[in-house]
């Protein structure tokens, strides 16, 4: 059983900062790519940022220069530092990890429960 637990969401004024964290636990052989998605009301879930096991990162154009994703392979965690937040960043943020629970098990994506971020204008 693999579990992802997010933390760090909340309410912040425009221009402020928040840091989201996500911890992966359970039966884990290997964790490949990890990332953050977000979903605003009435919209689809979109990729915000991703990071490979080696630390290579990718960002949505809308957050480049403002958000920074990082991971700690030893602690099985990822974080998303969000600066210069805008009202349009308001969404539920989901952590995702591509995990192989065992050596002989094909890896698949596991999702967290989501954490709400609200940016007031």
């Amino acid at each position: 059983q693999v579990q992802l637990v997010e933390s760090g969401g909340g309410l912040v004024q425009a221009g402020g900062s928040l840091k989201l964290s996500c911890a992966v636990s359970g039966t884990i052989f290997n964790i490949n790519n990890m990332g953050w998605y977000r979903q605003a009301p009435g919209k689809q879930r979109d990729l915000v940022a991703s990071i490979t096991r080696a630390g290579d990162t990718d960002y949505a154009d809308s957050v480049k220069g403002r958000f920074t994703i990082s991971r700690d392979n030893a602690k099985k965690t990822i974080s998303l530092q969000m600066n210069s937040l805008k009202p349009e960043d308001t969404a539920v943020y989901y952590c995702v990890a591509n995990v192989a629970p065992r050596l002989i098990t094909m890896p698949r994506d596991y999702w967290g429960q989501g954490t709400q971020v609200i940016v007031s204008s």
Side-chain angles (χ1 to χ4, degrees), residues 37-118:
Y37 280 71
R38 68 185 180 187
Q39 187 168 21
K43 296 188 176 181
Q44 66 181 21
R45 189 176 297 188
D46 292 324
L47 177 67
V48 175
S50 64
I51 185 166
T52 68
R53 185 172 179 81
D56 296 321
T57 59
D58 189 30
Y59 296 92
D61 288 342
S62 59
V63 307
K64 283 180 181 177
R66 300 189 297 123
F67 291 11
T68 302
I69 188 171
S70 60
R71 70 186 280 173
D72 185 324
N73 291 328
K75 294 182 178 179
K76 300 183 182 62
T77 60
I78 61 167
S79 297
L80 185 69
Q81 178 65 47
M82 306 185 293
N83 299 328
S84 302
L85 283 160
K86 305 175 181 180
E88 51 264 43
D89 294 318
T90 295
V92 177
Y93 284 70
Y94 297 90
C95 170
V96 61
N98 187 262
V99 179
R102 296 178 178 82
L103 174 61
I104 61 172
T105 306
M106 289 293 292
R108 72 169 182 88
D109 289 342
Y110 291 82
W111 293 82
Q113 79 286 355
T115 185
Q116 178 74 57
V117 171
I118 300 174

Side-chain angles (χ1 to χ4, degrees), residues 5-9 19-22 36 113 115:
V5 178
E6 300 115 332
S7 61
K19 185 174 183 178
L20 307 182
S21 297
C22 175
W36 292 93
Q113 79 286 355
T115 185

